[in-house]
Every structure is written in C-alpha cells, then in structure tokens.
Amino acid sequence: MIDKELLAADLIGRRLLKVTTAWHHYADDEPSLVHLWLHLEGLGPVLFHTPSTGLSLRADQPHGPYPMEEHGSVTVTDDSPDVPVTRFVGQTIRSVRQIGYNDGKVGFTAGLTLQFPGGSIRLLGLVDDLLIAHDQQLGAVEAHLHEDVTLARVVQTSGGRPSQWDAWTTTGQYLYLRYRHGEGTVEQHPSEDVDT
C-alpha cells in the first residue's frame, strides 16, 4: 500500500510502532521538520507532510538522508526522544480530530489531533512547516485553530450503568458515549461497530 492517499479515519485503532522524522538543516538556522512517518500496525509507515498549507497523509516508505543544493541537507532519524510523538510508541490511536484554521480571510484543514490512551498530540501543516504541538500554545495562530466536535445527532442506546449513546458529529464522524457516576467517556470509531 505504498504511495496511497489516506484518510484520518484510517489511523483509528492502529498501534504506533515507530516514529521516523526528516529534518531540513539550513546553514545558520535551527533544523525544521519536513516529514514525519508514523509506523502503524496493519497499515505500515504513514507520511505526514505539508505540501504548502495543510496536512497530507500518505502510505509511503521513509527515504534516506540527502543533500539539498544551496539549501542545506535533510537527515532522517528513528524514534528520536526530542520528538514528542515518540512517547506514544506502543499505544493505539483512539481518535483523530481534524483541526481547521480560519482567520476570517482564509480557511483550510490545518492538521489533526491524535488521541492515545496516554494523551494527545497535534500535527499541523502551516505555511510549508510541519509542527508537532504537545502541551503548548502556538501564540497568535492558536486563536484561529478549531476542532470540529459539534454533535449533530445523539441517540441513547442504554439507560443502564453506564448509560450509553451513539452520536454523530456535523461531519458524519461516529462517536460512542458512556456516562457513569459523574464521569463520561467518548470513543471515536470508523463505523458504528465498536469492535473496530
């Protein structure tokens, strides 16, 4: 399944096995992240990159390091502890939410929030830069980032303990909701079959 475009929903329920990064090194500047591969169980390596503005997902193998004429070089590393997403290696992606950018003039899908049992991470493609945001605010751009979590329909399927609901967002994403003793959980699934 190499060089195939993927949807965000394809990542749900996949265990993260390894992280590979490609860094662009300029002469005098800090290196910048140009490509990120998440190696997912049953799916293989998934390339996250920003073709211009926004984030693209593709099944694709990592490439090796290479020189760039007049613009430095690109190095490739596996499971670098400096990359926040590596702390989720071995965990399964529970949900994926799209992050929209809208400043009143321009609007586009800027990235994704990946939710793991141990926390979440945001992957963003903004103006040719790939950003990994973990427990941090991104300054002025933060006010223009929004995640779709608006529920369009909710149906209670059980009044027991826990009480349970099927729910759908305005974009058609299926959610499984449970509530018991003042605490609730939300699980995102690619279909209404919660075993997936």
Side-chain angles (χ1 to χ4, degrees), residues 122-194:
R122 293 186 297 168
L123 306 174
L124 299 161
L126 300 170
V127 193
D128 289 329
D129 286 333
L130 182 58
L131 303 172
I132 300 174
H134 175 68
D135 296 335
Q136 68 192 59
Q137 296 295 311
L138 300 174
V141 73
E142 198 71 47
H144 305 296
L145 298 176
H146 308 281
E147 294 184 32
D148 175 26
V149 290
T150 304
L151 297 179
R153 183 173 171 230
V154 178
V155 177
Q156 187 170 10
T157 58
S158 172
R161 292 189 175 107
S163 54
Q164 301 171 28
W165 292 268
D166 289 336
W168 295 265
T169 68
T170 54
T171 60
Q173 174 62 58
Y174 171 73
L175 304 171
Y176 176 61
L177 313 175
R178 286 182 285 195
Y179 184 78
R180 183 178 191 166
H181 301 299
E183 291 187 21
T185 61
V186 178
E187 294 178 13
Q188 179 179 345
H189 296 275
S191 73
E192 293 177 29
D193 178 6
V194 295

Side-chain angles (χ1 to χ4, degrees), residues 2-180:
I2 300 301
D3 203 21
K4 176 186 174 202
E5 290 291 324
L6 297 171
L7 302 173
D10 294 331
L11 310 179
I12 299 169
R14 308 288 183 163
R15 191 165 60 96
L16 180 61
L17 304 173
K18 183 169 95 171
V19 177
T20 302
T21 53
W23 296 89
H24 188 175
H25 298 270
Y26 298 94
D28 297 328
D29 295 332
E30 289 289 319
S32 63
L33 184 62
V34 290
H35 293 114
L36 170 73
W37 289 269
L38 298 184
H39 300 258
L40 301 173
E41 188 173 59
L43 198 57
V46 177
L47 170 64
F48 290 73
H49 77 115
T50 175
S52 60
T53 299
L55 195 64
S56 171
L57 303 177
R58 195 170 75 227
D60 198 8
Q61 290 291 330
H63 52 70
Y66 57 91
M68 295 183 68
E69 295 178 24
E70 300 178 24
H71 299 290
S73 63
V74 172
T75 59
V76 178
T77 60
D78 287 329
D79 291 332
S80 171
D82 296 335
V83 179
V85 74
T86 59
R87 78 182 193 101
F88 300 114
V89 169
Q91 296 185 32
T92 300
I93 298 173
R94 283 189 173 169
S95 71
V96 180
R97 294 187 307 271
Q98 289 188 342
I99 302 170
Y101 175 92
N102 193 325
D103 65 4
K105 298 175 190 169
V106 177
F108 59 91
T109 300
L112 300 172
T113 296
L114 304 181
Q115 178 71 43
F116 294 89
S120 63
I121 193 107
R122 293 186 297 168
L123 306 174
L124 299 161
L126 300 170
V127 193
D128 289 329
D129 286 333
L130 182 58
L131 303 172
I132 300 174
H134 175 68
D135 296 335
Q136 68 192 59
Q137 296 295 311
L138 300 174
V141 73
E142 198 71 47
H144 305 296
L145 298 176
H146 308 281
E147 294 184 32
D148 175 26
V149 290
T150 304
L151 297 179
R153 183 173 171 230
V154 178
V155 177
Q156 187 170 10
T157 58
S158 172
R161 292 189 175 107
S163 54
Q164 301 171 28
W165 292 268
D166 289 336
W168 295 265
T169 68
T170 54
T171 60
Q173 174 62 58
Y174 171 73
L175 304 171
Y176 176 61
L177 313 175
R178 286 182 285 195
Y179 184 78
R180 183 178 191 166

